[in-house]
Amino acid sequence: MLDIYTLGEDVLREECSDIKVFDDALRMLSEAMIDTLDEADGVGLAGPQIGVPEKIFVVHIRGEKPLVFINPSITGTSIETGVYEEGCLSLPGVYHDVVRPVGVTIQAQDINGKPFTIEADGLLARVIQHENDHLHGKLYIDHLDEKEKEKVLRAYEKKNRARRRQKSRV
Ligand code: NI
C-alpha cells in the first residue's frame, strides 16, 4: 500500500508534469494506486495524493472496471450543473456539497500510451473532474465560497486533532 498524502503537503498544490515513459514501472504504479484506492475504500486517487506530481489518476467505481487516466485533459463540459457531496482521501473525515457540470468529455492515454476519449456523466463525471483537479494542485474545497471552505477546514482540523490524540494514547 502507498501512503496517502493529506492537506498541508506541498505536493497536493503542485501543477503535475506530463508522463512520457510508458513502462513497467508506470504499470506497477497504476496497480499500486488501484490497490491503495480500494484499501482506502475511495472511488478515485491521483498522483499527488501518493506524493507523485505526475499526470495520472485512477478511478474505481464499485462493480465496474478500474480506469487509469494518464495525461488527461477535459475537452468538454455540460452546461447543466449538479450538486454532489464530495470527500477526498487527502482530507479524511470531511465532506461538502460541490457544484460541477454533470457531464464531461475527457481525453487521456491508457497504460500503454494509447489515446482514448470518454464521455461521462453521473458519478464517473464527478470523480473525473475531482481527480483531474488534483493534477492541477486543486482540491474540492477550492470550489466552495470562503465561508464554506472555512467551515470544512475547521471541521477537518478538529477531526485531525482528535485523531492525533488517539494515536498518542496507544
Ligand atoms: Ni481528492
Side-chain angles (χ1 to χ4, degrees):
M1 288 316 118
L2 305 166
D3 283 339
I4 296 178
Y5 287 54
T6 54
L7 191 68
E9 299 277 1
D10 291 343
V11 69
L12 292 174
R13 292 311 200 171
E14 281 177 39
E15 177 70 25
C16 293
S17 49
D18 289 339
I19 289 174
K20 298 196 172 83
V21 182
F22 295 80
D23 57 3
D24 281 348
L26 184 64
R27 184 180 304 274
M28 279 166 64
L29 175 71
S30 72
E31 284 168 7
M33 285 175 74
I34 292 165
D35 289 346
T36 302
L37 175 62
D38 290 349
E39 180 73 23
D41 205 25
V43 287
L45 185 69
Q49 295 185 275
I50 46 134
V52 177
E54 294 179 13
K55 286 186 183 155
I56 178 169
F57 67 76
V58 297
V59 174
H60 194 190
I61 293 169
R62 297 299 165 267
E64 291 181 28
K65 236 177 64 170
L67 300 169
V68 181
F69 296 81
I70 294 166
N71 300 328
S73 106
I74 289 176
T75 56
T77 53
S78 64
I79 292 163
E80 189 193 339
T81 58
V83 181
Y84 189 85
E85 188 179 60
E86 292 189 26
C88 180
L89 292 173
S90 295
L91 285 93
V94 293
Y95 306 87
H96 202 281
D97 282 348
V98 181
V99 179
R100 296 187 194 263
V102 294
V104 291
T105 305
I106 185 166
Q107 292 181 351
Q109 285 167 279
D110 69 11
I111 197 65
N112 300 309
K114 194 176 161 227
F116 67 92
T117 302
I118 288 181
E119 279 183 41
D121 56 18
L123 180 59
L124 180 57
R126 177 63 60 161
V127 180
I128 283 173
Q129 292 174 82
H130 177 118
E131 298 313 322
N132 194 65
D133 275 352
H134 275 299
L135 305 185
H136 303 283
K138 199 166 176 182
L139 302 170
Y140 79 84
I141 52 173
D142 302 330
H143 289 275
L144 308 179
D145 68 34
E146 279 308 311
K147 219 171 139 190
E148 291 172 328
K149 189 172 178 175
E150 274 305 308
K151 206 176 103 190
V152 174
L153 289 176
R154 267 201 308 274
Y156 177 71
E157 270 308 306
K158 214 169 143 188
K159 274 188 189 268
N160 253 13
R161 274 200 302 274
R163 202 172 40 218
R164 276 199 297 270
R165 268 202 304 276
Q166 218 163 30
K167 254 189 199 162
S168 59
R169 225 180 272 141
V170 290

